Every structure is written in C-alpha cells, then in structure tokens.
Amino acid sequence: MCGVAGILRWGDNVSRPGEIERMTAAVAHRGPDGEGHFVRDGLALGHRRLSIIDLKTGQQPMGNEDGTVWVTYNGEIYNYRELTAQLRSLGHRFRTRSDTEVIVHAYEEWGPDCVKRFRGMFAFGLADLIRRRLLLARDHLGIKPLYYRTGAGYLAFASELAALRQVDDDPPEGSLEAVELFLRYQYVPTPQTIYREVHKQPPATYLLVGFDGSLRGPSRYWNLRFDPDPGPSDAEWLERFEFALESSVRAHTVSDVPYGVLLSGGIDSTLVAVRLSRLLERSIKGFCIDFSDAALSEARYAEQVARKCGFELYTETVRGDLTDLLPGLVSHYGEPFGDASAVPTWHVARLARAHVPMVLSGDGGDEGFGGYDSYLMWMRPSVRGHLRSFRHDPSLANARSVAWATARRLLLARWSVLREWQRGIEYVAEDVRRALWRPEFQRLPAEPCPLFAEAAAEAPRTDALAYAQYLDIRTYLPCDILTKVDVAAMCHGLEVRTPFADVDMMELAARLPLRLRYRGDRDGVPVRKYLPKTALLKDFPREFVHRPKQGFAPPRAEWFLPGRSGRTMLEDVLLPAGSPLHDWFRVPEIRGILQAHGPGRDRSNTLWLLLVLGLWLQQNREIRFR
C-alpha cells in the first residue's frame, strides 16, 4: 500500500522545481518505508512506499529494462505470481519479485487492456515514453483511490486530494453542486469532488492522456452483470460460495509481512476470520473497537469469534468526545466526508497498526450478498411490482426504434424507481435541504446526480434486490465504504485487504438466485444475506448468526446533547457570525435544527454533515465556490 502522485505538462510548460516533491510529501503517511521520483521533460512521477511484497527490490517509480515505461502504483495484484509466469513464457524478463514489475510487463504485452487481467486493488499512473502517453487506471471495485486535476497545460494525479493542492497553480474552485450532493449522500459521488477542476477516476476505468494534452476516457473495462442462475441447488451454491471465499482469502494473504484481521463480530468479518483460521497453521491477531454505550457494543461477539478461531484479540474502547480527533480526520479526507463510522474506523486502524502493517476486513459482503437494512424496505411488494412492470421493455439504447410513448414510459418508470431508492438512502431529506439553502440556491436540490443516473440506467431488472445491490456497488461501496476505510487506515500507514470486495467474489454473488440473497426463515421473518449466513451456521449458533444487524456508527446523538462537548463544537462551528455556512444556508434553519435535537428527537444526521462541512470550510477558507 502506497501513495502515488504525478504531473504531466505540455506545450510551453515544463516541470516545476520542487512540485513533485511537495505532491509526494503530501501523501507521505501512506508510505513510511520509502520515497522515489522520476522526472523527464514535462513528466514527473512520485511515490511513497509501504512495503508489503518484495521488501528489498520493490522501489518505485519502477521502469522496464530500457527505461521507456515507468509506473507509480498503489495497491496489490493478488494474481501477480500467475501473471509473472505467463509473461515469462512470453519472453519477458523480471528483475524483482514485486507485483509492481508485473504491471510494467503486462502493459508492454497487452497495452491498457492489461488491467482486465489483474485481480486485486490498484491505482496507478504509467508513462509510456515511446507512445508518449500516460495511462491512469483504477481497480474494478474502487478499493484504491485515484484523483486527477486538469488545468492550463497540465494534468496532475494523486492518491489524495491534498497532493493536488500542491500543484503550481491557483487554488481550485469549489462546487456548490458537490455540497448539495454531500448533504444527500454524506459523500461527494464519483466522478465529482468538492472542486470543479478535480475529479475522482471511476472504478474499473482507465484514462489515456497524450503528452500533447489529448484525453481519451475514462473508459470502462469491467462492469458487474447480475445474471442469476436458478439451476444449481442450495447445497451446490453453498459449496461454490465456500470454495470462492476460501480462494479469495488465500489470495488476499499473499504478503511478506505479518498481518491480522479486523473483527467487528459481524457476519462478513467472521466468515473471513474462520477461513483464515483454517488456512493458517499459526495464530494471528484480531482487532476490535468497542463503544462505552452497551447498545452499540459488539465486542462480545468479536471475542466469541477470536476464541473459536484461536486468534489473539486486541480491543479498544472509544471514549470521551470527538473534538480533538474530528478536525484532523476531516482534513485527511480532503473534502467533506460525512460517514461517522470513520471515527471508529480510524481508532481500529491505529490499534492494528501498532501490531501489524496489514489486515483483512469484511467490507463488501453487504453489497454483494444483500445485507443492508435498506434492502428490507426496498423489497416491499409495491417496489417489486413496479420493477417488474418494465423489466422486459426495450433498453433506452434502442428507444429510437420504439414509439415515443413507450420510450417516455420507460424514462418515467426508471426515474420513478431511482427517486424512490434515493428517498430511502438520503441522509438529509429533500425538504430539509430546500429549507436550508438560501433562495438563490434553490435550484440545487432538484438537480440529478450523474453517478446515480448512470448506474440506474445500467442496473439490472432481474429482481428488485439486484437493482438495489447494483446501485450500492456503483455508488455507496466505492464512494463511502471503501473510501472511509482507505483514508482512515492510511492515516496510520495500514493496508486493509477486502476478500469480499473482490472481482471473483462479486461475480459469484451476481449469479445467485434471489432465494439465496433474501428469503423468509421458519418464522416468516425476512433473512438478508441468506447464503453467507447459512455457511456461518456450520460454525456458530443460530442466535449469533441471525441476531439483528448492528452498525458501526458512534453515538452521535448523545455527543450532540446539550451540555456535551459535541454540542459546544456544533455551536462554535455552525452559529457564529461570519461562518462560511451562512453564505449558502439560512441561519434560522441551522439554529432550528440544532435546537430541535434532544432526547427522543434525533437530528444528528443533519447536524453531523453540517459540522463536517463547516470544519472543512474553516480549514479551506481560500476556496471560492460557485
């Protein structure tokens, strides 16, 4: 796991002294084990290294034998040994045992399409000095981040937004559309960022940048297709699931350093832990975060898992207030990011990094196998029937060949379903957002989100749950869950690997019939994530497996009660005259939301997002928005 940075200048622009060094220094926490740079004409690549594979000879940026191809890379290619053997058979010579060199030779052999052959998590910039182009690529599911900034005569890229603020240019301009999207979803969806000139590269895409400034892409090289196969029996599907999970866990343990596992006590991290215990002949360390509020604690379940697997468990309890931690955490994310579970994630990453440089986690299991509470709402009969009503209609791509009335019905149906889905997942309801925005900004709440519109147009209609899962895999998983884990972990230089957020695992999940993702149990109660829970029942009792789902969020509602330090922080950030928030939002509405929060009146979702946004604006007062 590492930090990457780079900039390509064209025309009369040339490399600026110290620019790539500053960009690389901004991601130093991602790679404490080494630093490297490559500069030639208008191209500069930078790298910070966290050594996990090939500790002695994996330094970057790394070039090929004749120095015509150079790469700066963040991530791990889990099938690099198989690719190394294949490339050697094709005549390529390797100087190292690193997965980095595989990327160089795979590009030489297959060009940009080499990314289709990689199984892993990756984000890289690769310079081809012969073809005079820069290739930017991101992994299939968006585990590793990649941002790029365009300006007059240059394109810069990096693992974090902070590095792009080090480019020799004026500060980028802020986006009010991004602020509105943040209030809706608690994150800014891909490809947008809080800055107009800066973009998130979407997962499963590559971008080609000519040394003359020409751009092609981002081009999508993979898309998850839900195509349920009802043929195999439940027993056969269970066997396939267990084999795929064991194979994925085995692949994710390729490492030259010690590692552990994050144990929440939930279904997915428990399944990963059980497979690890069967693969290894030694005990490893598990890490768990507890809350002083017993209603939020799952530490007892993590302890049960550790005993079953023979792991040594380290637990830390999140206590006190957040006033010391939150401003720094807001700064690390580089733009407003409102998932409050980043706080315990930061704590568990710090705990784990004190013992190991790499861990496995259960992230991705809920999206792949249907585990969220939101899916229960979504599986109402009315929604399922609405989806079926246009499931077999022609696609919008062929709308010109059908009558306008049919095309219009398709558009309205798809928009209606998407709006219903978004209403169920919004963190600040539309009426609250409208009341917050000042009159001159009332257009913003009505504007659609490009990412959600694109994902909805491609979402499956095989069943209602597949539609919701696909939307989450395209939006919530990369933009929230994986971003949260990456940034919180890399604050401490910890690599987190995700066996469920894996190409092979997701493609298996997309083949499951509905009955193995969602069905009623013997009491008629809907069971989400049915197949993984069935697998876990082999090792744990029913009361462990089928207990109510517990989230990972801290007790924000209590933090914001009158008399608590969180309430004081809210008042200090949201209310003072001159607060940047007052440029856009009605002060009486902010005050009313704050005063409405109390015992039995939870307004913490809205307050938390306003607090994060207010802190970020305080830290970035030089940014101008429009």
Side-chain angles (χ1 to χ4, degrees):
M1 201 64 57
C2 306
V4 303
I7 185 165
L8 174 66
R9 293 186 175 274
W10 51 84
D12 294 332
N13 283 309
V14 295
S15 299
R16 310 295 176 86
E19 186 176 45
I20 191 62
E21 288 81 4
R22 294 194 309 273
M23 293 175 66
T24 307
V27 293
H29 53 278
R30 300 181 71 94
D33 298 330
E35 178 178 6
H37 304 97
F38 172 81
V39 179
R40 181 172 298 180
D41 301 326
L43 173 71
L45 304 177
H47 189 265
R48 291 291 311 205
R49 188 184 188 206
L50 174 63
S51 303
I52 301 293
I53 293 175
D54 192 11
L55 308 185
K56 295 182 178 179
T57 61
Q59 291 79 10
Q60 298 184 49
M62 182 179 290
N64 62 352
E65 297 93 327
D66 61 6
T68 59
V69 176
W70 289 85
V71 70
T72 179
Y73 149 65
N74 170 28
E76 307 290 351
I77 306 297
Y78 301 128
N79 61 336
Y80 81 99
R81 290 170 176 164
E82 296 87 338
L83 289 172
T84 297
Q86 183 180 3
L87 288 163
R88 277 183 171 144
S89 71
L90 294 170
H92 293 268
R93 295 182 179 180
F94 284 76
R95 296 169 294 165
T96 73
R97 297 185 300 106
S98 72
D99 54 338
T100 307
E101 192 175 4
V102 167
I103 295 175
V104 172
H105 291 299
Y107 172 81
E108 289 179 307
E109 185 66 32
W110 299 302
D113 283 342
C114 65
V115 293
K116 298 178 181 179
R117 300 171 183 261
F118 299 156
R119 179 185 186 182
M121 52 181 182
F122 55 85
F124 63 81
L126 182 146
D128 184 337
L129 303 183
I130 299 296
R131 295 176 177 83
R132 296 187 59 77
R133 67 187 184 187
L134 174 68
L135 168 67
L136 302 180
R138 193 175 178 202
D139 65 65
H140 300 70
L141 293 161
I143 303 170
K144 302 315 301 173
L146 190 61
Y147 302 88
Y148 62 95
R149 177 181 180 180
T150 55
Y154 75 84
L155 181 143
F157 67 92
S159 298
E160 295 187 6
L161 288 166
L164 299 180
R165 293 288 302 273
Q166 300 300 317
V167 172
D168 283 333
D169 199 352
D170 294 333
E173 188 175 56
S175 165
L176 285 178
E177 289 83 3
V179 172
E180 160 64 21
L181 294 175
F182 167 72
L183 294 178
R184 288 185 207 178
Y185 309 119
Q186 75 176 353
Y187 57 83
V188 181
T190 300
Q192 291 154 284
T193 71
I194 196 65
Y195 305 115
R196 292 189 176 278
E197 307 98 312
V198 183
H199 311 277
K200 300 181 183 83
Q201 180 153 337
T205 66
Y206 63 77
L207 174 66
L208 287 170
V209 188
F211 283 12
D212 60 357
S214 60
L215 269 69
R216 194 175 78 191
S219 303
R220 180 170 290 277
Y221 63 82
W222 177 83
N223 195 8
L224 186 64
R225 300 294 182 187
F226 276 80
D227 186 17
D229 182 1
S233 66
D234 288 9
E236 290 171 324
W237 271 120
L238 179 60
E239 184 177 352
R240 293 184 186 185
F241 170 79
E242 291 177 328
F243 177 83
L245 180 58
E246 181 170 325
S247 173
S248 183
V249 170
R250 187 188 300 275
H252 284 69
T253 58
V254 174
S255 172
D256 292 332
V257 298
Y259 53 85
V261 60
L262 301 183
L263 286 177
S264 68
I267 301 300
D268 304 316
S269 67
T270 300
L271 282 166
V272 169
V274 169
R275 263 57 196 180
L276 267 178
S277 68
R278 293 173 180 171
L279 289 172
L280 303 176
E281 296 180 354
R282 57 183 173 81
S283 174
I284 65 171
K285 296 177 172 65
F287 307 97
C288 173
I289 284 298
D290 195 13
F291 296 101
S292 53
D293 184 345
L296 300 174
S297 175
E298 285 198 299
R300 62 189 183 279
Y301 299 113
E303 292 167 359
Q304 190 174 341
V305 175
R307 286 194 301 271
K308 174 74 174 180
C309 297
F311 293 166
E312 184 180 1
L313 183 65
Y314 295 81
T315 303
E316 179 179 301
T317 300
V318 178
R319 301 182 186 277
D321 61 55
L322 71 161
T323 54
D324 292 334
L325 169 63
L326 188 57
L329 200 58
V330 168
S331 176
H332 265 293
Y333 278 89
E335 67 178 352
F337 181 81
D339 189 334
S341 62
V343 174
T345 304
W346 185 93
H347 279 282
V348 77
R350 182 182 64 174
L351 173 65
R353 188 61 180 92
H355 301 273
V356 294
M358 188 266 280
V359 292
L360 273 64
S361 80
D363 296 302
D366 283 318
E367 292 83 1
F369 294 90
Y372 286 125
D373 288 342
S374 57
Y375 299 152
L376 293 177
M377 172 278 295
W378 188 244
M379 293 302 289
R380 298 192 312 259
S382 61
V383 177
R384 295 200 302 271
H386 189 36
L387 278 163
R388 283 195 296 269
S389 70
F390 65 101
R391 173 176 160 189
H392 297 297
D393 283 338
S395 70
L396 288 179
N398 298 322
R400 293 181 181 177
S401 66
V402 299
W404 167 245
T406 303
R408 183 174 181 274
R409 181 170 61 85
L410 277 168
L411 286 165
L412 290 175
R414 290 189 175 190
W415 176 241
S416 176
V417 172
L418 177 58
R419 282 182 63 85
E420 184 163 359
W421 170 253
Q422 290 188 112
R423 278 196 296 267
I425 63 169
E426 287 177 347
Y427 277 77
V428 179
E430 184 174 348
D431 60 335
V432 178
R433 301 197 312 273
R434 286 190 179 279
L436 274 169
W437 284 106
R438 287 170 45 173
E440 59 266 40
F441 305 116
Q442 284 297 308
R443 63 179 176 82
L444 294 171
E447 293 187 0
C449 172
L451 176 61
F452 275 82
E454 177 186 306
E458 300 176 8
R461 267 65 179 179
T462 53
D463 58 71
L465 183 53
Y467 177 92
Q469 288 177 266
Y470 181 85
L471 286 179
D472 270 349
I473 290 167
R474 288 286 301 275
T475 62
Y476 185 60
L477 180 63
C479 299
D480 187 307
I481 297 298
L482 297 175
T483 296
K484 172 191 68 180
V485 173
D486 175 80
V487 175
M490 293 313 299
C491 285
H492 307 287
L494 177 74
E495 174 172 317
V496 179
R497 297 184 178 182
T498 54
F500 277 104
D502 170 80
V503 173
D504 290 2
M505 285 298 297
M506 284 293 183
E507 290 184 342
L508 177 137
R511 297 282 289 163
L512 289 179
L514 177 60
R515 70 177 190 271
L516 294 178
R517 290 174 278 132
Y518 178 95
R519 73 163 76 173
D521 69 0
R522 62 190 179 194
D523 300 318
V525 177
V527 177
R528 296 152 297 161
K529 209 153 53 176
Y530 184 85
L531 185 60
K533 289 181 178 179
T534 301
L536 198 57
L537 283 170
K538 292 184 176 182
D539 295 285
F540 289 87
R542 181 180 178 83
E543 56 270 22
F544 179 99
V545 175
H546 288 292
R547 71 184 191 271
K549 183 176 177 62
Q550 175 68 58
F552 197 45
R556 296 175 307 175
E558 291 188 13
W559 285 348
F560 293 160
L561 290 176
R564 300 291 298 270
S565 60
R567 181 64 162 247
T568 302
M569 190 178 196
L570 280 171
E571 294 169 349
D572 290 345
V573 172
L574 305 188
L575 299 182
S579 167
L581 292 171
H582 300 176
D583 293 341
W584 313 322
F585 302 131
R586 294 183 174 104
V587 179
E589 289 296 329
I590 296 176
R591 191 181 302 276
I593 294 169
L594 182 59
Q595 292 174 345
H597 181 78
R601 298 173 300 165
D602 188 356
R603 303 293 188 271
S604 60
N605 270 359
T606 302
L607 292 173
W608 181 267
L609 296 191
L610 289 174
L611 176 59
V612 168
L613 179 60
L615 287 170
W616 189 89
L617 290 169
Q618 287 181 356
Q619 297 169 357
N620 296 272
R621 290 184 179 272
E622 72 280 12
I623 302 299
R624 297 292 176 259
F625 281 79
R626 66 173 175 87

